[in-house]
Amino acid sequence: MSKKSKYWRYLIWLGPCLLVAGLIAGLVTGEWTVLPIIFLVIGLGIIIFGLITFGGAKNFFARRSTQAGTNAIVASVALVVILGLINFLAVRYTGRIDLTENQLFTLSPQSQEIVKNLEQPLKVWAFVPTPNPADQELLARYSRYGENFEYEFVDPQIEVGIAQRFDVNLIGEIYLEYGDKKQLVQSLSPGEPISEIELTNAIAKVQRDVLPKIYFIQGHGEPLLEAEQGGFSQAVASLEKSGYEVEPLNLASLAAVPEDAGVVAIAGAKRPLIPGEVSAIQTYLDNGGSAFLLIDPNTNPGLDSLLQEWGIVLDNRIVIDASGTGSVLGFGPVTPLVRDYGNHPIVADFANGISIYPLARRIDTNQVVGITATPLIVTSEQSWAESDVESEELEFNPASDVPGPLNLGFAFSRPVSSTPTQTTPPPETEAETPPATDEEITETEAEDLETEETANEAENNPEARLVAIGNSTFATDGWLDEQLNQDLFLNSVDWLSKQDEKSLSIRPKQPENRRINLTPEKAEIIFWSALVVVPLLGLITAGIMWWRRR
Protein backbone atom coordinates (compact mmCIF):
# COMPACT_ATOMS: atom_id res chain seq x y z
CA MET A 1 0.00 0.00 0.00
CA SER A 2 1.45 3.31 -1.08
CA LYS A 3 1.93 6.13 1.41
CA LYS A 4 -0.57 8.26 -0.55
CA SER A 5 -3.21 5.54 -0.35
CA LYS A 6 -2.65 5.28 3.42
CA TYR A 7 -3.48 8.97 3.95
CA TRP A 8 -6.63 8.67 1.84
CA ARG A 9 -7.73 5.78 4.07
CA TYR A 10 -7.68 8.08 7.09
CA LEU A 11 -9.55 10.81 5.25
CA ILE A 12 -12.50 8.44 4.78
CA TRP A 13 -13.46 9.12 8.43
CA LEU A 14 -14.24 12.67 7.42
CA GLY A 15 -17.37 11.27 5.75
CA PRO A 16 -19.12 10.01 8.94
CA CYS A 17 -18.16 13.24 10.73
CA LEU A 18 -19.79 15.40 8.06
CA LEU A 19 -22.81 13.10 8.00
CA VAL A 20 -23.33 13.47 11.79
CA ALA A 21 -22.72 17.24 11.63
CA GLY A 22 -25.37 17.59 8.91
CA LEU A 23 -27.91 15.53 10.88
CA ILE A 24 -27.33 17.51 14.10
CA ALA A 25 -27.55 20.88 12.33
CA GLY A 26 -30.80 19.93 10.61
CA LEU A 27 -32.44 18.31 13.64
CA VAL A 28 -31.47 21.00 16.16
CA THR A 29 -32.48 23.99 14.02
CA GLY A 30 -35.51 22.21 12.59
CA GLU A 31 -34.71 23.66 9.16
CA TRP A 32 -33.02 21.64 6.44
CA THR A 33 -31.19 24.50 4.80
CA VAL A 34 -28.41 24.27 2.26
CA LEU A 35 -25.58 23.82 4.76
CA PRO A 36 -26.89 20.63 6.51
CA ILE A 37 -27.76 19.10 3.15
CA ILE A 38 -24.28 19.85 1.78
CA PHE A 39 -22.74 18.15 4.85
CA LEU A 40 -24.97 15.12 4.35
CA VAL A 41 -24.21 14.80 0.63
CA ILE A 42 -20.45 15.26 1.01
CA GLY A 43 -20.36 12.88 3.98
CA LEU A 44 -22.27 10.17 2.11
CA GLY A 45 -20.11 10.75 -0.96
CA ILE A 46 -16.88 10.27 0.97
CA ILE A 47 -18.21 7.10 2.62
CA ILE A 48 -19.27 5.60 -0.72
CA PHE A 49 -15.99 6.64 -2.31
CA GLY A 50 -14.03 5.00 0.47
CA LEU A 51 -15.99 1.73 0.21
CA ILE A 52 -15.44 1.52 -3.54
CA THR A 53 -11.84 2.59 -3.51
CA PHE A 54 -10.52 0.46 -0.64
CA GLY A 55 -11.57 -3.10 -1.52
CA GLY A 56 -15.40 -3.37 -1.38
CA ALA A 57 -17.95 -3.31 1.41
CA LYS A 58 -17.42 -6.89 2.64
CA ASN A 59 -13.70 -6.54 3.11
CA PHE A 60 -14.15 -3.02 4.48
CA PHE A 61 -16.51 -4.08 7.29
CA ALA A 62 -14.41 -7.19 8.01
CA ARG A 63 -11.39 -5.14 8.86
CA ARG A 64 -10.47 -4.59 12.50
CA SER A 65 -9.93 -0.85 11.98
CA THR A 66 -13.43 -0.55 10.50
CA GLN A 67 -15.00 -2.27 13.50
CA ALA A 68 -13.10 -0.05 15.94
CA GLY A 69 -14.12 3.05 14.01
CA THR A 70 -17.75 1.95 13.86
CA ASN A 71 -17.77 1.40 17.60
CA ALA A 72 -16.36 4.89 18.12
CA ILE A 73 -19.03 6.41 15.86
CA VAL A 74 -21.85 4.55 17.59
CA ALA A 75 -20.53 5.57 21.01
CA SER A 76 -20.25 9.21 19.90
CA VAL A 77 -23.77 9.24 18.48
CA ALA A 78 -25.12 7.60 21.65
CA LEU A 79 -23.38 10.23 23.77
CA VAL A 80 -24.87 13.03 21.68
CA VAL A 81 -28.36 11.50 21.92
CA ILE A 82 -28.06 11.10 25.73
CA LEU A 83 -26.89 14.69 26.16
CA GLY A 84 -29.74 15.86 23.94
CA LEU A 85 -32.30 13.94 26.00
CA ILE A 86 -30.88 15.32 29.26
CA ASN A 87 -31.11 18.88 27.93
CA PHE A 88 -34.65 18.26 26.64
CA LEU A 89 -35.79 16.95 30.03
CA ALA A 90 -34.03 19.79 31.85
CA VAL A 91 -35.82 22.40 29.74
CA ARG A 92 -39.19 20.63 29.89
CA TYR A 93 -39.14 19.89 33.64
CA THR A 94 -37.27 22.72 35.30
CA GLY A 95 -35.87 22.06 38.76
CA ARG A 96 -33.62 24.18 40.93
CA ILE A 97 -31.46 23.24 43.90
CA ASP A 98 -30.12 26.05 46.08
CA LEU A 99 -27.04 24.76 47.89
CA THR A 100 -26.12 28.08 49.54
CA GLU A 101 -26.25 28.15 53.35
CA ASN A 102 -28.72 31.06 53.54
CA GLN A 103 -30.73 30.04 50.45
CA LEU A 104 -29.60 33.15 48.57
CA PHE A 105 -31.21 31.99 45.35
CA THR A 106 -34.56 30.92 46.81
CA LEU A 107 -37.48 33.13 47.80
CA SER A 108 -38.41 33.09 51.47
CA PRO A 109 -41.52 31.07 52.44
CA GLN A 110 -43.49 34.28 53.01
CA SER A 111 -42.59 35.67 49.56
CA GLN A 112 -43.66 32.39 47.97
CA GLU A 113 -46.99 32.33 49.82
CA ILE A 114 -47.80 35.96 49.03
CA VAL A 115 -47.17 35.50 45.32
CA LYS A 116 -49.09 32.21 45.20
CA ASN A 117 -52.15 33.84 46.80
CA LEU A 118 -52.39 36.96 44.62
CA GLU A 119 -56.07 37.37 43.80
CA GLN A 120 -55.54 39.56 40.73
CA PRO A 121 -52.65 40.48 38.40
CA LEU A 122 -49.82 42.41 40.02
CA LYS A 123 -47.04 43.98 37.96
CA VAL A 124 -43.64 45.27 39.01
CA TRP A 125 -42.44 48.21 36.93
CA ALA A 126 -38.69 48.70 37.21
CA PHE A 127 -37.66 52.03 35.71
CA VAL A 128 -34.07 50.94 35.12
CA PRO A 129 -32.49 51.55 31.68
CA THR A 130 -29.93 48.75 32.09
CA PRO A 131 -31.42 45.85 34.09
CA ASN A 132 -29.19 44.25 36.70
CA PRO A 133 -28.92 40.44 36.10
CA ALA A 134 -29.49 39.90 39.83
CA ASP A 135 -32.73 41.93 39.66
CA GLN A 136 -33.88 39.98 36.60
CA GLU A 137 -33.20 36.71 38.38
CA LEU A 138 -35.03 37.87 41.54
CA LEU A 139 -38.15 38.94 39.63
CA ALA A 140 -38.05 35.73 37.58
CA ARG A 141 -38.10 33.79 40.85
CA TYR A 142 -41.24 35.65 41.94
CA SER A 143 -42.94 34.96 38.61
CA ARG A 144 -42.28 31.24 38.96
CA TYR A 145 -44.50 31.10 42.06
CA GLY A 146 -47.62 32.81 40.70
CA GLU A 147 -49.31 33.37 37.35
CA ASN A 148 -50.62 36.75 38.52
CA PHE A 149 -47.10 38.14 39.03
CA GLU A 150 -45.59 40.07 36.13
CA TYR A 151 -42.64 42.42 35.77
CA GLU A 152 -41.16 44.74 33.18
CA PHE A 153 -38.03 46.83 32.94
CA VAL A 154 -38.62 50.26 31.44
CA ASP A 155 -36.21 52.95 30.27
CA PRO A 156 -37.93 56.13 31.55
CA GLN A 157 -36.00 58.25 29.05
CA ILE A 158 -37.45 56.31 26.09
CA GLU A 159 -40.87 55.14 27.29
CA VAL A 160 -41.85 58.55 28.63
CA GLY A 161 -45.59 57.82 28.68
CA ILE A 162 -45.24 54.93 31.14
CA ALA A 163 -42.90 56.98 33.32
CA GLN A 164 -45.39 59.85 33.44
CA ARG A 165 -48.20 57.45 34.36
CA PHE A 166 -46.26 56.49 37.50
CA ASP A 167 -44.93 60.02 38.08
CA VAL A 168 -41.35 58.74 38.06
CA ASN A 169 -38.90 61.31 39.39
CA LEU A 170 -35.63 59.36 39.42
CA ILE A 171 -34.06 56.58 37.42
CA GLY A 172 -34.06 53.40 39.50
CA GLU A 173 -37.54 53.71 40.99
CA ILE A 174 -39.48 50.46 41.38
CA TYR A 175 -43.30 50.57 41.39
CA LEU A 176 -46.10 48.09 41.96
CA GLU A 177 -49.36 48.17 40.01
CA TYR A 178 -52.22 46.21 41.57
CA GLY A 179 -55.64 46.92 40.09
CA ASP A 180 -55.98 50.70 40.17
CA LYS A 181 -53.35 51.04 42.92
CA LYS A 182 -49.78 52.20 42.30
CA GLN A 183 -47.13 52.06 45.01
CA LEU A 184 -43.46 52.99 45.14
CA VAL A 185 -41.38 50.05 46.37
CA GLN A 186 -37.80 51.26 46.28
CA SER A 187 -35.57 53.95 44.78
CA LEU A 188 -32.39 52.20 43.71
CA SER A 189 -29.07 53.98 43.85
CA PRO A 190 -26.46 53.01 41.19
CA GLY A 191 -25.42 49.39 41.74
CA GLU A 192 -28.06 48.73 44.40
CA PRO A 193 -30.18 45.59 43.80
CA ILE A 194 -33.91 45.19 44.36
CA SER A 195 -34.56 44.03 47.94
CA GLU A 196 -36.74 40.97 48.44
CA ILE A 197 -37.70 42.31 51.87
CA GLU A 198 -38.91 45.62 50.44
CA LEU A 199 -40.71 43.99 47.52
CA THR A 200 -42.51 41.36 49.60
CA ASN A 201 -43.60 43.92 52.20
CA ALA A 202 -44.85 46.22 49.44
CA ILE A 203 -46.86 43.40 47.83
CA ALA A 204 -48.48 42.58 51.19
CA LYS A 205 -49.18 46.26 51.82
CA VAL A 206 -50.69 47.07 48.42
CA GLN A 207 -53.26 44.28 48.79
CA ARG A 208 -54.76 45.85 51.92
CA ASP A 209 -57.66 48.22 51.51
CA VAL A 210 -57.26 49.64 55.02
CA LEU A 211 -54.02 49.79 57.02
CA PRO A 212 -54.57 48.10 60.41
CA LYS A 213 -53.62 50.23 63.40
CA ILE A 214 -51.53 48.90 66.28
CA TYR A 215 -51.62 50.75 69.61
CA PHE A 216 -48.78 50.29 72.14
CA ILE A 217 -49.89 51.06 75.71
CA GLN A 218 -47.55 53.65 77.27
CA GLY A 219 -47.24 55.26 80.69
CA HIS A 220 -46.21 52.30 82.86
CA GLY A 221 -42.47 52.13 82.23
CA GLU A 222 -42.79 50.42 78.85
CA PRO A 223 -39.88 50.77 76.39
CA LEU A 224 -40.41 53.74 74.10
CA LEU A 225 -41.26 53.38 70.44
CA GLU A 226 -38.39 55.66 69.45
CA ALA A 227 -34.80 54.58 68.84
CA GLU A 228 -33.14 54.06 72.23
CA GLN A 229 -31.43 51.24 74.02
CA GLY A 230 -34.03 48.60 74.71
CA GLY A 231 -36.70 50.42 72.70
CA PHE A 232 -39.17 49.13 70.14
CA SER A 233 -38.06 51.28 67.19
CA GLN A 234 -37.06 48.28 65.05
CA ALA A 235 -40.35 46.54 65.82
CA VAL A 236 -42.25 49.69 64.87
CA ALA A 237 -40.27 50.02 61.62
CA SER A 238 -40.97 46.37 60.76
CA LEU A 239 -44.69 46.84 61.41
CA GLU A 240 -44.85 49.97 59.26
CA LYS A 241 -43.00 48.24 56.40
CA SER A 242 -45.52 45.41 56.67
CA GLY A 243 -48.42 47.81 56.21
CA TYR A 244 -49.44 48.74 59.76
CA GLU A 245 -49.94 52.09 61.41
CA VAL A 246 -48.35 52.24 64.85
CA GLU A 247 -49.27 54.72 67.58
CA PRO A 248 -48.67 54.99 71.34
CA LEU A 249 -51.77 54.87 73.53
CA ASN A 250 -52.25 56.33 77.00
CA LEU A 251 -55.50 54.81 78.21
CA ALA A 252 -55.44 56.90 81.40
CA SER A 253 -56.60 59.88 79.35
CA LEU A 254 -59.24 57.94 77.39
CA ALA A 255 -62.41 56.19 78.42
CA ALA A 256 -62.01 53.32 75.97
CA VAL A 257 -59.74 51.75 73.39
CA PRO A 258 -60.04 53.65 70.06
CA GLU A 259 -62.50 52.04 67.66
CA ASP A 260 -59.89 51.78 64.89
CA ALA A 261 -57.58 49.61 66.99
CA GLY A 262 -56.56 46.43 65.17
CA VAL A 263 -54.34 45.24 68.04
CA VAL A 264 -53.52 46.65 71.48
CA ALA A 265 -50.03 45.75 72.70
CA ILE A 266 -49.01 45.80 76.36
CA ALA A 267 -45.29 45.26 75.97
CA GLY A 268 -42.78 45.47 78.79
CA ALA A 269 -44.95 47.31 81.35
CA LYS A 270 -43.02 47.70 84.61
CA ARG A 271 -45.79 49.30 86.69
CA PRO A 272 -49.41 48.12 87.08
CA LEU A 273 -52.10 49.50 84.82
CA ILE A 274 -54.86 51.30 86.69
CA PRO A 275 -58.21 49.43 86.97
CA GLY A 276 -59.90 51.75 84.46
CA GLU A 277 -57.31 50.91 81.81
CA VAL A 278 -57.68 47.17 82.44
CA SER A 279 -61.46 47.51 82.24
CA ALA A 280 -61.20 49.33 78.91
CA ILE A 281 -59.02 46.56 77.48
CA GLN A 282 -61.42 43.87 78.74
CA THR A 283 -64.35 45.65 77.09
CA TYR A 284 -62.33 45.93 73.89
CA LEU A 285 -61.66 42.18 73.95
CA ASP A 286 -65.31 41.41 74.74
CA ASN A 287 -66.23 43.21 71.53
CA GLY A 288 -63.89 41.08 69.40
CA GLY A 289 -60.62 42.96 69.82
CA SER A 290 -57.09 41.55 70.00
CA ALA A 291 -54.37 42.07 72.59
CA PHE A 292 -50.65 41.30 72.56
CA LEU A 293 -49.17 40.81 76.04
CA LEU A 294 -45.38 40.76 76.48
CA ILE A 295 -44.77 40.38 80.23
CA ASP A 296 -41.28 40.18 81.72
CA PRO A 297 -40.33 38.36 84.95
CA ASN A 298 -40.40 40.32 88.21
CA THR A 299 -43.00 42.72 86.86
CA ASN A 300 -46.68 43.10 87.72
CA PRO A 301 -48.69 44.73 84.94
CA GLY A 302 -51.83 44.71 87.11
CA LEU A 303 -53.78 42.55 84.66
CA ASP A 304 -54.89 39.95 87.19
CA SER A 305 -58.61 40.14 86.34
CA LEU A 306 -57.94 39.97 82.61
CA LEU A 307 -55.44 37.11 82.96
CA GLN A 308 -57.86 35.18 85.16
CA GLU A 309 -60.68 35.70 82.67
CA TRP A 310 -58.53 34.18 79.89
CA GLY A 311 -57.02 31.44 82.08
CA ILE A 312 -53.46 32.80 81.96
CA VAL A 313 -51.09 32.00 84.84
CA LEU A 314 -47.80 33.90 85.13
CA ASP A 315 -44.86 32.15 86.76
CA ASN A 316 -42.36 34.65 88.14
CA ARG A 317 -39.44 32.20 88.03
CA ILE A 318 -36.68 32.77 85.47
CA VAL A 319 -36.34 30.15 82.74
CA ILE A 320 -32.87 28.53 82.66
CA ASP A 321 -31.58 26.75 79.55
CA ALA A 322 -28.95 24.18 80.52
CA SER A 323 -28.72 22.56 77.08
CA GLY A 324 -25.57 24.54 76.27
CA THR A 325 -26.77 25.43 72.77
CA GLY A 326 -26.81 29.12 73.68
CA SER A 327 -23.10 29.12 74.43
CA VAL A 328 -22.41 28.40 70.75
CA LEU A 329 -23.95 31.78 69.92
CA GLY A 330 -22.44 33.51 72.94
CA PHE A 331 -25.51 33.43 75.20
CA GLY A 332 -25.71 32.31 78.83
CA PRO A 333 -28.16 29.92 80.52
CA VAL A 334 -30.66 32.72 81.30
CA THR A 335 -31.19 33.21 77.55
CA PRO A 336 -33.21 30.21 76.35
CA LEU A 337 -32.87 29.20 72.72
CA VAL A 338 -36.10 27.68 71.48
CA ARG A 339 -36.39 25.15 68.65
CA ASP A 340 -39.77 23.61 69.53
CA TYR A 341 -43.05 25.29 68.67
CA GLY A 342 -46.72 24.51 69.01
CA ASN A 343 -49.27 23.67 66.34
CA HIS A 344 -50.49 27.16 65.47
CA PRO A 345 -50.46 29.30 62.27
CA ILE A 346 -48.10 31.81 63.94
CA VAL A 347 -45.28 29.26 64.18
CA ALA A 348 -46.40 26.73 61.55
CA ASP A 349 -43.37 27.30 59.27
CA PHE A 350 -40.75 27.62 61.98
CA ALA A 351 -39.77 23.92 61.88
CA ASN A 352 -36.62 23.67 64.02
CA GLY A 353 -35.61 27.31 63.59
CA ILE A 354 -34.17 29.21 66.53
CA SER A 355 -35.78 32.05 68.47
CA ILE A 356 -34.15 33.69 71.50
CA TYR A 357 -35.70 35.00 74.75
CA PRO A 358 -33.31 36.65 77.23
CA LEU A 359 -34.66 36.63 80.81
CA ALA A 360 -38.01 34.98 80.15
CA ARG A 361 -40.74 33.75 82.46
CA ARG A 362 -42.89 30.66 82.16
CA ILE A 363 -46.56 30.96 81.25
CA ASP A 364 -49.15 28.36 82.18
CA THR A 365 -52.89 28.14 81.60
CA ASN A 366 -56.06 27.16 83.41
CA GLN A 367 -58.84 25.68 81.34
CA VAL A 368 -61.65 28.19 80.75
CA VAL A 369 -64.86 27.27 78.96
CA GLY A 370 -65.05 28.93 75.53
CA ILE A 371 -61.35 29.81 75.32
CA THR A 372 -58.90 27.93 73.13
CA ALA A 373 -55.29 28.08 74.29
CA THR A 374 -52.48 26.86 72.00
CA PRO A 375 -48.80 26.72 73.06
CA LEU A 376 -46.50 28.73 70.81
CA ILE A 377 -43.00 28.55 72.29
CA VAL A 378 -41.65 25.51 74.14
CA THR A 379 -38.21 25.23 75.73
CA SER A 380 -36.07 22.10 75.71
CA GLU A 381 -36.13 19.29 78.26
CA GLN A 382 -32.82 20.59 79.63
CA SER A 383 -34.52 23.77 80.87
CA TRP A 384 -36.26 24.61 84.13
CA ALA A 385 -37.90 27.53 85.91
CA GLU A 386 -35.44 28.76 88.52
CA SER A 387 -36.76 30.23 91.76
CA ASP A 388 -33.39 31.41 93.14
CA VAL A 389 -31.50 33.28 90.44
CA GLU A 390 -29.25 34.94 93.03
CA SER A 391 -27.62 31.61 93.90
CA GLU A 392 -23.94 31.32 92.94
CA GLU A 393 -24.59 28.12 91.04
CA LEU A 394 -27.68 27.63 88.92
CA GLU A 395 -28.87 24.09 89.41
CA PHE A 396 -32.24 22.43 89.34
CA ASN A 397 -33.91 22.12 92.75
CA PRO A 398 -36.89 19.70 92.60
CA ALA A 399 -38.41 21.28 95.70
CA SER A 400 -38.75 24.79 94.31
CA ASP A 401 -38.06 24.68 90.56
CA VAL A 402 -40.23 23.51 87.68
CA PRO A 403 -38.64 21.08 85.20
CA GLY A 404 -38.80 21.62 81.45
CA PRO A 405 -40.05 21.65 78.78
CA LEU A 406 -41.70 24.97 79.62
CA ASN A 407 -44.15 27.14 77.72
CA LEU A 408 -43.02 30.71 77.12
CA GLY A 409 -46.02 31.81 75.09
CA PHE A 410 -49.61 30.95 74.21
CA ALA A 411 -52.15 32.05 71.62
CA PHE A 412 -55.75 32.37 72.86
CA SER A 413 -59.02 32.81 71.01
CA ARG A 414 -62.60 33.21 72.19
CA PRO A 415 -65.77 33.41 70.09
CA VAL A 416 -67.37 36.84 70.27
CA SER A 417 -70.79 35.27 70.66
CA SER A 418 -69.80 33.84 74.06
CA THR A 419 -69.00 37.27 75.46
CA PRO A 420 -71.67 39.24 77.29
CA THR A 421 -73.57 41.62 75.04
CA GLN A 422 -76.12 44.30 75.78
CA THR A 423 -79.64 43.52 74.67
CA THR A 424 -82.54 45.86 74.04
CA PRO A 425 -86.09 44.93 75.10
CA PRO A 426 -88.48 44.03 72.26
CA PRO A 427 -91.43 46.34 71.53
CA GLU A 428 -94.49 45.63 73.68
CA THR A 429 -96.94 45.35 70.79
CA GLU A 430 -96.70 45.22 67.05
CA ALA A 431 -98.83 48.02 65.66
CA GLU A 432 -100.53 47.47 62.34
CA THR A 433 -98.66 49.48 59.72
CA PRO A 434 -99.84 50.71 56.34
CA PRO A 435 -98.27 49.34 53.12
CA ALA A 436 -94.78 50.72 52.54
CA THR A 437 -94.14 53.28 49.82
CA ASP A 438 -91.40 52.92 47.16
CA GLU A 439 -89.11 55.25 49.12
CA GLU A 440 -89.64 53.24 52.31
CA ILE A 441 -88.93 50.00 50.44
CA THR A 442 -85.70 51.49 49.10
CA GLU A 443 -84.68 52.57 52.60
CA THR A 444 -85.55 49.12 53.91
CA GLU A 445 -83.42 47.45 51.23
CA ALA A 446 -80.54 49.77 52.07
CA GLU A 447 -80.88 48.91 55.75
CA ASP A 448 -81.03 45.19 54.90
CA LEU A 449 -77.88 45.58 52.78
CA GLU A 450 -76.13 47.40 55.61
CA THR A 451 -77.22 44.70 58.06
CA GLU A 452 -75.94 42.01 55.70
CA GLU A 453 -72.58 43.77 55.35
CA THR A 454 -72.34 44.05 59.14
CA ALA A 455 -73.18 40.37 59.47
CA ASN A 456 -70.52 39.46 56.92
CA GLU A 457 -68.00 41.60 58.76
CA ALA A 458 -68.88 39.89 62.02
CA GLU A 459 -68.60 36.53 60.29
CA ASN A 460 -65.11 37.40 59.11
CA ASN A 461 -64.05 38.45 62.62
CA PRO A 462 -65.89 36.00 64.83
CA GLU A 463 -63.51 35.87 67.76
CA ALA A 464 -61.44 37.84 70.22
CA ARG A 465 -57.74 36.97 70.18
CA LEU A 466 -54.89 37.28 72.62
CA VAL A 467 -51.20 36.32 72.50
CA ALA A 468 -49.24 36.21 75.76
CA ILE A 469 -45.44 35.80 75.87
CA GLY A 470 -43.36 35.77 79.04
CA ASN A 471 -40.72 38.09 77.64
CA SER A 472 -40.59 41.46 75.89
CA THR A 473 -36.83 41.76 75.31
CA PHE A 474 -36.92 39.48 72.27
CA ALA A 475 -38.80 42.23 70.36
CA THR A 476 -36.60 45.14 71.43
CA ASP A 477 -33.88 46.83 69.40
CA GLY A 478 -30.87 44.57 68.91
CA TRP A 479 -32.80 41.37 69.66
CA LEU A 480 -35.56 41.60 67.05
CA ASP A 481 -33.21 40.72 64.19
CA GLU A 482 -31.93 37.61 65.95
CA GLN A 483 -32.92 34.41 64.16
CA LEU A 484 -36.76 34.03 64.09
CA ASN A 485 -37.59 36.70 66.70
CA GLN A 486 -38.93 39.14 64.12
CA ASP A 487 -40.99 36.44 62.41
CA LEU A 488 -42.59 35.47 65.73
CA PHE A 489 -43.37 39.11 66.56
CA LEU A 490 -44.82 40.02 63.15
CA ASN A 491 -46.68 36.72 62.72
CA SER A 492 -48.30 37.27 66.12
CA VAL A 493 -49.44 40.76 65.10
CA ASP A 494 -50.67 39.48 61.73
CA TRP A 495 -52.71 36.75 63.41
CA LEU A 496 -54.08 39.11 66.05
CA SER A 497 -55.10 41.67 63.44
CA LYS A 498 -56.96 38.88 61.59
CA GLN A 499 -55.08 39.34 58.36
CA ASP A 500 -54.72 36.63 55.77
CA GLU A 501 -53.18 33.70 57.66
CA LYS A 502 -51.60 32.41 54.44
CA SER A 503 -48.91 35.08 54.79
CA LEU A 504 -47.88 33.87 58.26
CA SER A 505 -44.48 32.47 57.46
CA ILE A 506 -40.75 33.13 57.63
CA ARG A 507 -39.86 36.48 56.14
CA PRO A 508 -36.98 37.19 53.76
CA LYS A 509 -33.67 38.00 55.41
CA GLN A 510 -31.03 40.46 54.37
CA PRO A 511 -28.33 38.41 52.61
CA GLU A 512 -25.04 38.26 54.45
CA ASN A 513 -21.89 39.54 52.80
CA ARG A 514 -19.77 36.40 52.39
CA ARG A 515 -17.20 37.72 49.96
CA ILE A 516 -13.59 36.62 50.39
CA ASN A 517 -11.19 39.53 50.47
CA LEU A 518 -7.89 38.28 49.05
CA THR A 519 -4.61 40.08 49.31
CA PRO A 520 -2.66 40.49 46.02
CA GLU A 521 -0.19 37.82 47.20
CA LYS A 522 -2.99 35.28 47.88
CA ALA A 523 -4.62 36.05 44.54
CA GLU A 524 -1.30 35.47 42.76
CA ILE A 525 -0.80 32.13 44.53
CA ILE A 526 -4.28 30.98 43.48
CA PHE A 527 -3.63 32.13 39.89
CA TRP A 528 -0.35 30.20 39.51
CA SER A 529 -1.74 27.15 41.30
CA ALA A 530 -4.84 26.91 39.10
CA LEU A 531 -3.30 27.77 35.74
CA VAL A 532 0.26 26.42 36.00
CA VAL A 533 1.02 24.08 38.90
CA VAL A 534 -2.00 21.76 38.71
CA PRO A 535 -1.95 21.37 34.89
CA LEU A 536 1.81 20.85 35.00
CA LEU A 537 1.48 18.09 37.59
CA GLY A 538 -1.07 16.36 35.37
CA LEU A 539 1.23 16.65 32.38
CA ILE A 540 4.21 15.28 34.31
CA THR A 541 2.12 12.36 35.60
CA ALA A 542 0.96 11.59 32.07
CA GLY A 543 4.57 11.71 30.85
CA ILE A 544 5.75 9.30 33.55
CA MET A 545 2.95 6.88 32.74
CA TRP A 546 3.83 7.01 29.05
CA TRP A 547 7.49 6.41 29.79
CA ARG A 548 6.80 3.37 31.97
CA ARG A 549 4.47 1.76 29.42
CA ARG A 550 6.89 2.44 26.66
Side-chain angles (χ1 to χ4, degrees), residues 10 43 46 182 245 286 309 312 357 367 425:
Y10 288 117
I46 292 175
K182 298 180 181 63
E245 289 187 30
D286 290 343
E309 180 182 342
I312 302 172
Y357 306 90
Q367 188 171 1

Side-chain angles (χ1 to χ4, degrees), residues 56 111 131 228 295 301 369 477 499 530:
S111 300
E228 64 163 14
I295 306 174
V369 176
D477 296 351
Q499 300 297 307

Side-chain angles (χ1 to χ4, degrees), residues 263-264 266 281-282 284-285 288-295 303 306-312 344 346 363 371-374 376 409-414 463-469 492 495-498:
V263 179
V264 172
I266 305 173
I281 295 170
Q282 286 179 298
Y284 166 71
L285 289 171
S290 299
F292 195 11
L293 309 183
L294 305 178
I295 306 174
L303 300 171
L306 186 149
L307 299 177
Q308 185 177 5
E309 180 182 342
W310 285 77
I312 302 172
H344 193 274
I346 292 176
I363 288 184
I371 290 181
T372 302
T374 306
L376 292 178
F410 276 88
F412 302 86
S413 61
R414 181 177 67 186
E463 60 186 12
R465 294 180 175 181
L466 188 149
V467 170
I469 297 176
S492 297
W495 181 75
L496 288 169
S497 62
K498 297 157 188 173

Side-chain angles (χ1 to χ4, degrees), residues 27 87 91 117 128 165 173 190 193 238 261 267 276 306 432 460 494 517:
L27 293 173
N87 279 277
V91 172
N117 294 294
V128 181
R165 186 155 65 88
E173 290 184 347
S238 299
L306 186 149
E432 187 175 346
N460 293 332
D494 284 346
N517 294 319

Side-chain angles (χ1 to χ4, degrees), residues 32-88:
W32 293 97
T33 57
V34 177
L35 187 62
I37 293 176
I38 289 177
F39 281 176
L40 289 174
V41 171
I42 295 177
L44 284 172
I46 292 175
I47 293 172
I48 295 171
F49 172 77
L51 292 175
I52 296 173
T53 305
F54 299 105
K58 185 176 180 181
N59 293 333
F60 177 78
F61 287 109
R63 293 172 188 164
R64 186 175 179 182
S65 59
T66 303
Q67 294 174 356
T70 304
N71 290 336
I73 292 174
V74 171
S76 300
V77 171
L79 179 63
V80 171
V81 170
I82 291 172
L83 291 176
L85 285 174
I86 292 174
N87 279 277
F88 172 77

Side-chain angles (χ1 to χ4, degrees), residues 242-312:
S242 300
Y244 291 94
E245 289 187 30
V246 181
E247 288 190 12
L249 176 63
N250 191 339
L251 269 180
S253 59
L254 299 173
V257 174
E259 293 182 355
D260 61 351
V263 179
V264 172
I266 305 173
K270 294 180 173 55
R271 295 188 296 274
L273 279 70
I274 61 177
E277 293 177 302
V278 179
S279 177
I281 295 170
Q282 286 179 298
T283 303
Y284 166 71
L285 289 171
D286 290 343
N287 292 324
S290 299
F292 195 11
L293 309 183
L294 305 178
I295 306 174
D296 294 314
N298 299 317
T299 60
N300 177 20
L303 300 171
D304 294 348
S305 59
L306 186 149
L307 299 177
Q308 185 177 5
E309 180 182 342
W310 285 77
I312 302 172

Side-chain angles (χ1 to χ4, degrees), residues 119-132:
E119 295 180 353
Q120 57 178 305
L122 179 143
K123 189 165 186 176
V124 176
W125 294 89
F127 293 93
V128 181
T130 306
N132 184 338

